[in-house]
Amino acid sequence: MKKIIKISLLILCSLILITFSACLVLNISLSEYKLDKTKLIDLTRTVNFYDANGILLLEKSNGQNVIDFKEIKDYTKNAFISIEDKRFYSHKGIDFKGVLRAVKNNVLSRTYKEGASTISQQLIKNTHLSSEKTIKRKFAELKLAKELEKSFSKEQILEKYLNTIYFGDNCYGISNASNHYFGKKASELTIAESAGLAGMIKAPSNYSPINNFDKFNSRKNLVLKEMHSQGYISETEYQNALNEELNFKTNTSETKYDYFYLANREYGQILNASPYSITKYAG
């Protein structure tokens, strides 16, 4: 009996030592990865473009069309949360329930289809890391996601996410995507349009309304279903959104206004903005 206890203790101590060593090695290997706030969209440094009548044409931050969090409709924000990260406001960067679910599904399917990435993890991956699927990159993503949550509020994280996420067809950020696909500002999106854009980001090319409208529409309806089941929209709003006829921009070959300016991003110095005049720099 004593021999069995000794062997059990020896095995336990060995496992603890192996685990400690693995964590130490992992921590050392991840020391090179640090949160770089300059890689994230900074809405305090923007260039505003106005026409001759003083009407705002475009707001850019770090060279991208951006939108302030307060200007985005609640249902637009909730469309992304409902399909991408339903526990966004309750976790600290990592959704452990989602991770367990993904591991279970991946084991059962013998694939790596689910990654359980939260919005915070996606923001980190899009701005700090490559898209390669390695264990080290995943742990780096988890580490930086936790650091991100400590440095920014949930609203700031969601704002940066929506302004950087890729929507296909060379569109980064919801402002570019809204103009590109629907010819309108992101603040003007309907519930159905918001759901459509939220559904695209899982696989932008596959769910593009340009390349495959049926898949786009099916994915949009899934997002609407999730929004309804999670209480973000009412039954009436759900039915109206399902039946809404979407009007897509007929010419999606270029993003409006992107061609007319050259700027020194580091100092915010405008070099050329023909044919429109720039009347304001906020930095």
Side-chain angles (χ1 to χ4, degrees), residues 2-68:
K2 290 183 178 180
K3 185 177 181 180
I4 296 176
I5 294 176
K6 287 182 179 180
I7 294 174
S8 298
L9 288 174
L10 182 62
I11 293 174
L12 180 61
C13 289
S14 298
L15 289 174
I16 292 175
L17 182 60
I18 292 172
T19 302
F20 176 78
S21 300
C23 290
L24 183 62
V25 171
L26 180 63
N27 188 54
I28 293 174
S29 68
L30 295 179
S31 61
E32 63 183 281
Y33 297 98
K34 299 183 184 300
L35 182 67
D36 185 352
K37 296 179 182 179
T38 63
K39 292 182 178 180
L40 303 170
I41 290 290
D42 183 3
L43 297 186
T44 63
R45 293 185 60 80
T46 63
V47 177
N48 295 334
F49 295 81
Y50 295 84
D51 67 9
N53 298 316
I55 299 175
L56 180 65
L57 294 173
L58 185 66
E59 181 182 54
K60 282 189 172 271
S61 176
N62 297 331
Q64 297 188 46
N65 292 353
V66 298
I67 183 170
D68 187 273

Side-chain angles (χ1 to χ4, degrees), residues 7 20 22 42 44-45 50 55 70 86 98 113-115 118 123 144 150 169 172 187 206 224 246 254 258 267 277-278:
I7 294 174
F20 176 78
D42 183 3
T44 63
R45 293 185 60 80
Y50 295 84
I55 299 175
K70 296 177 182 178
K86 62 180 66 177
K113 294 189 298 184
E114 293 188 37
T118 62
L123 177 58
L144 295 180
K150 292 178 182 178
D169 214 14
Y172 289 88
S187 59
N206 192 40
L224 290 173
L246 300 183
E254 63 179 3
D258 278 2
Y267 300 104
S277 61
I278 297 172

Side-chain angles (χ1 to χ4, degrees), residues 139-269:
F139 275 109
E141 179 184 300
L142 296 175
K143 174 192 175 183
L144 295 180
K146 291 184 71 67
E147 290 184 18
L148 179 73
E149 292 267 346
K150 292 178 182 178
S151 302
F152 298 96
S153 68
K154 289 290 186 179
E155 289 74 18
Q156 289 174 319
I157 292 172
L158 185 57
E159 178 183 66
K160 295 174 188 301
Y161 170 80
L162 291 175
N163 277 307
T164 55
I165 197 69
Y166 184 57
F167 289 90
D169 214 14
N170 202 34
C171 282
Y172 289 88
I174 193 169
S175 288
N176 278 330
S178 178
N179 176 65
H180 184 71
Y181 292 109
F182 299 110
K184 60 171 62 175
K185 296 179 180 179
S187 59
E188 300 171 340
L189 289 169
T190 65
I191 293 176
E193 291 167 343
S194 301
L197 291 180
M200 286 181 62
I201 60 177
K202 180 181 180 181
S205 297
N206 192 40
Y207 295 112
S208 168
I210 299 172
N211 300 333
N212 196 324
F213 175 76
D214 289 339
K215 285 189 175 182
F216 170 87
N217 196 53
S218 177
R219 183 76 177 163
K220 177 207 70 178
N221 290 344
L222 174 61
V223 176
L224 290 173
K225 181 180 179 181
E226 287 296 321
M227 293 177 72
H228 180 242
S229 66
Q230 293 174 42
Y232 289 125
I233 56 176
S234 66
E235 176 65 25
T236 300
E237 289 173 321
Y238 174 54
Q239 293 299 330
N240 289 340
L242 282 176
N243 296 319
E244 180 181 333
E245 183 178 349
L246 300 183
N247 297 311
F248 297 99
K249 189 175 178 181
T250 55
N251 181 11
T252 56
S253 60
E254 63 179 3
T255 302
K256 192 176 183 181
Y257 307 132
D258 278 2
Y259 66 92
F260 63 78
Y261 79 100
L262 294 172
N264 184 319
R265 295 182 186 178
E266 183 177 358
Y267 300 104
Q269 178 185 359

